[in-house]
Amino acid sequence: MEFWLKTQARENNEKIFLDDGSTQLTFGEAYDYTTRLAHTLTQLKRTRLGLYIDNSIESVLLINSCWLAGIETAMINTRLTDREIQSQMASVNVETIITMEQFELAGLTIIPYKTLQSQMSSQQFEFDFSFERIASIMFTSGTTGPQKAVPQTFANHYASALGCKESLGFNAETKWLSVLPIYHISGLSVILRALIGGFTVRLESKFVAERMLQIIQEEQPTHVSLVPQTLKWLMNEGLTQPHSIEKILLGGAKLSSSLIERALQYHLPIYNSFGMTETCSQFLTASSEMLATRHDTVGQTSENVDVKIKNPNHQGHGELLVKGNNVMDGYLYPENSNNAFEDGYFNTGDIAEITEEGYVMVYDRRKDLIISGGENIYPYQIETIAKSHHLIEDAVCVGVKDETWGEVPSLYYVAEVAISDDTLKDYFKENLAKYKIPKFFHRISSLPYTSTGKLQRNQLKN
């Protein structure tokens, strides 16, 4: 089997693959360029590279060039601190990072993309394509442990794309507007669907409601990926009719009933979804018709995915398990963290229910996980940093509701003396990305533990 970009170049050579509003690149042009950049990348003699990228045509070309060179790509969240990036790269033995902007990072070799461009020649290279090879590595983490490195194979991505095609729908005539970060699975998945399905991706570098609405009105995309908050901003800006949009794919945070009702009132074709880094994006999708019936559903699975509830209680609530070719085979790091699999099923850690109609409701997304504006925030990481402060004896982080972001982190800490909020914020800025820094700080005399030593987070949630 040949690489998807090569297939599209052969079958749809003149078809537009990438469009950023000013530049358009065909599948044929993209293939020619990436095979030449792949040859340059082979000179690095690396089988795994870190990618510090943005939402640009160049970033998409770089990813595909790595794949053509037989190089695994470790995706870097550009909002992370230097320390967080260093830790992630070390965990998967990455020594070299290709970047779209110039910076330095101790202990790592940083190569600007423009440097690679200047070294390109007419020589081409293409590695033997294999479904079982790792395509991308992304990082996630639980609330009770360290970061986890998720390997995503080409087979995982392919199964995910097929499932999306069945549950959401796309074809060669699709034009998908994507503003989600490519270093996230939600953003990268759009690129992979285009490679497999042969459609056009309209890339936008960042979300600006006025600009997004203009693109929708003038450029007539058929699909768009958003998080609930960005949909709300678009509707506030004037998105009160679908225009040419056939599907609005939502994810990253729970949908409120008011948002669903407003979108349906405008006849916007919203599709709610649920997925994880470990499942290569969505594996549950709810259509507008489903949402009109049940606001709380994240939908049904595609035929190539199986889900079930582990140890359901009298209400049918239990941990959500999933099995399918879209699911990773196991974490790269830590090596002892693969106990999440049970009889071939991956345990998501989410509490859910499946109705007789096959509708899935997720009640707690990883119980303690904080989802803020589509970003996952892990209390364990914040608590670890807090407890490293010389004045803090103990700490716990919980999510509190926020009208704009869904949830924001709030820190409770035990200390003999009071610490100013500004002092704590400055301390966290040295160790955490800005969006992870607690918005509220509470000094308390002790934290609530059970007799067996288990922390009772729910007692602190308000």
Side-chain angles (χ1 to χ4, degrees):
M1 176 175 282
E2 63 187 12
F3 183 49
W4 299 309
L5 181 55
K6 183 176 184 178
T7 301
Q8 295 302 338
R10 187 181 70 252
E11 298 180 357
N12 298 295
N13 188 63
E14 299 300 319
K15 177 77 177 290
I16 299 299
F17 171 31
L18 301 168
D19 179 357
D20 66 3
S22 59
T23 301
Q24 293 183 327
L25 204 68
T26 67
F27 282 105
E29 291 169 333
Y31 177 68
D32 176 72
Y33 182 93
T34 52
T35 53
R36 291 188 291 116
L37 182 55
H39 180 269
T40 302
L41 287 168
T42 61
Q43 308 309 303
L44 300 177
K45 301 188 184 304
R46 294 284 186 268
T47 58
R48 183 179 293 171
L49 290 171
L51 300 189
Y52 190 95
I53 56 178
D54 51 20
N55 270 34
S56 65
I57 289 177
E58 289 79 9
S59 292
V60 178
L61 294 174
L62 173 60
I63 293 169
N64 279 274
S65 299
C66 287
W67 291 341
L68 283 165
I71 297 172
E72 300 169 1
T73 58
M75 301 297 183
I76 299 171
N77 185 332
T78 58
R79 299 176 67 182
L80 299 181
T81 64
D82 289 356
R83 188 173 301 178
E84 289 172 306
I85 295 172
Q86 289 166 327
S87 176
Q88 289 185 352
M89 294 300 99
S91 73
V92 293
N93 301 313
V94 166
E95 300 174 347
T96 303
I97 294 175
I98 310 300
T99 177
M100 288 296 161
E101 59 182 67
Q102 183 67 51
F103 67 92
E104 294 183 1
L105 208 53
L108 290 160
T109 300
I110 309 297
I111 302 177
Y113 174 76
K114 290 182 179 179
T115 299
L116 293 175
Q117 271 188 315
S118 68
Q119 297 171 352
M120 289 173 62
S121 67
S122 60
Q123 290 183 277
Q124 297 175 297
F125 183 86
E126 185 173 350
F127 196 82
D128 290 335
F129 181 61
S130 169
F131 252 28
E132 305 312 314
R133 288 184 60 85
I134 293 174
S136 50
I137 301 167
M138 296 185 183
F139 294 87
T140 185
S141 102
T143 56
T144 58
Q147 62 187 8
K148 295 184 177 72
V150 179
Q152 301 154 334
T153 66
F154 289 104
N156 295 149
H157 285 302
Y158 184 67
S160 176
L162 292 185
C164 178
K165 185 174 183 178
E166 177 191 328
S167 57
L168 182 73
F170 58 79
N171 55 41
E173 303 308 312
T174 292
K175 184 176 183 179
W176 203 309
L177 173 59
S178 183
V179 70
L180 301 177
I182 299 173
Y183 58 72
H184 272 179
I185 186 59
S186 52
L188 183 62
S189 289
V190 176
I191 304 300
L192 283 148
R193 292 166 197 155
L195 285 171
I196 295 165
F199 63 74
T200 300
V201 178
R202 172 59 170 91
L203 283 171
E204 189 65 9
S205 60
K206 61 181 180 179
F207 183 90
V208 178
E210 182 181 7
R211 175 61 178 153
M212 289 286 287
L213 182 60
Q214 181 184 14
I215 294 170
I216 290 169
Q217 292 172 333
E218 298 178 2
E219 300 184 32
Q220 299 185 325
T222 60
H223 292 57
V224 60
S225 294
L226 300 168
V227 297
Q229 182 60 43
T230 53
L231 173 62
K232 181 179 179 180
W233 284 335
L234 267 176
M235 290 192 293
N236 290 344
E237 187 65 30
L239 183 64
T240 57
Q241 58 177 300
H243 298 283
S244 60
I245 297 178
E246 300 169 7
K247 310 286 170 62
I248 299 175
L249 182 59
L250 299 168
K254 290 186 177 181
L255 295 180
S256 66
S257 293
S258 60
L259 185 68
I260 292 172
E261 290 173 358
R262 185 181 176 193
L264 295 179
Q265 181 184 354
Y266 295 154
H267 304 288
L268 299 180
I270 56 172
Y271 284 71
N272 194 15
S273 69
F274 180 86
M276 307 170 67
T277 305
E278 291 91 337
T279 64
C280 275
S281 195
Q282 71 187 93
F283 63 91
L284 293 163
T285 309
S287 66
S288 296
E289 291 74 21
M290 294 181 194
L291 292 170
T293 303
R294 288 207 58 157
H295 289 177
D296 58 346
T297 186
V298 288
Q300 298 173 312
T301 65
S302 53
E303 289 186 359
N304 64 352
V305 173
D306 184 32
V307 295
K308 65 180 182 179
I309 300 296
K310 175 186 176 184
N311 300 328
N313 62 15
H314 66 284
Q315 296 177 303
H317 297 185
E319 290 180 287
L320 180 65
L321 307 182
V322 56
K323 180 169 67 174
N325 291 332
N326 60 311
V327 182
M328 64 156 193
D329 292 330
Y331 296 103
L332 284 178
Y333 176 87
E335 294 179 0
N336 61 350
S337 61
N338 291 314
N339 55 359
F341 289 88
E342 304 175 22
D343 298 324
Y345 284 81
F346 175 70
N347 189 329
T348 67
D350 297 294
I351 305 303
E353 172 194 1
I354 304 176
T355 68
E356 292 181 359
E357 298 82 13
Y359 288 10
V360 179
M361 272 64 64
V362 176
Y363 296 107
D364 287 306
R365 186 158 181 168
R366 293 197 177 216
K367 194 175 182 179
D368 301 322
L369 180 64
I370 301 166
I371 302 175
S372 184
E375 292 278 4
N376 288 351
I377 300 176
Y378 301 96
Y380 174 86
Q381 185 182 25
I382 296 173
E383 291 158 8
T384 299
I385 298 299
K387 285 185 276 191
S388 69
H389 190 285
H390 70 284
L391 293 177
I392 294 179
E393 300 171 15
D394 205 353
V396 62
C397 181
V398 298
V400 295
K401 292 183 178 179
D402 182 85
E403 290 185 1
T404 300
W405 304 111
E407 280 186 309
V408 293
S410 178
L411 184 77
Y412 291 82
Y413 68 94
V414 178
E416 290 187 3
V417 297
I419 309 170
S420 73
D421 289 4
D422 288 341
T423 298
L424 288 171
K425 287 178 181 178
D426 288 340
Y427 183 74
F428 277 105
K429 284 178 183 178
E430 297 175 4
N431 299 279
L432 289 174
K434 184 178 179 181
Y435 69 91
K436 298 180 182 180
I437 297 173
K439 301 298 184 291
F440 306 101
F441 298 91
H442 311 276
R443 178 182 168 229
I444 56 179
S445 58
S446 64
L447 298 180
Y449 287 95
T450 66
S451 58
T452 58
K454 184 177 180 181
L455 186 61
Q456 297 174 299
R457 295 176 185 272
N458 289 338
Q459 290 193 18
L460 296 173
K461 289 190 175 183
N462 48 22

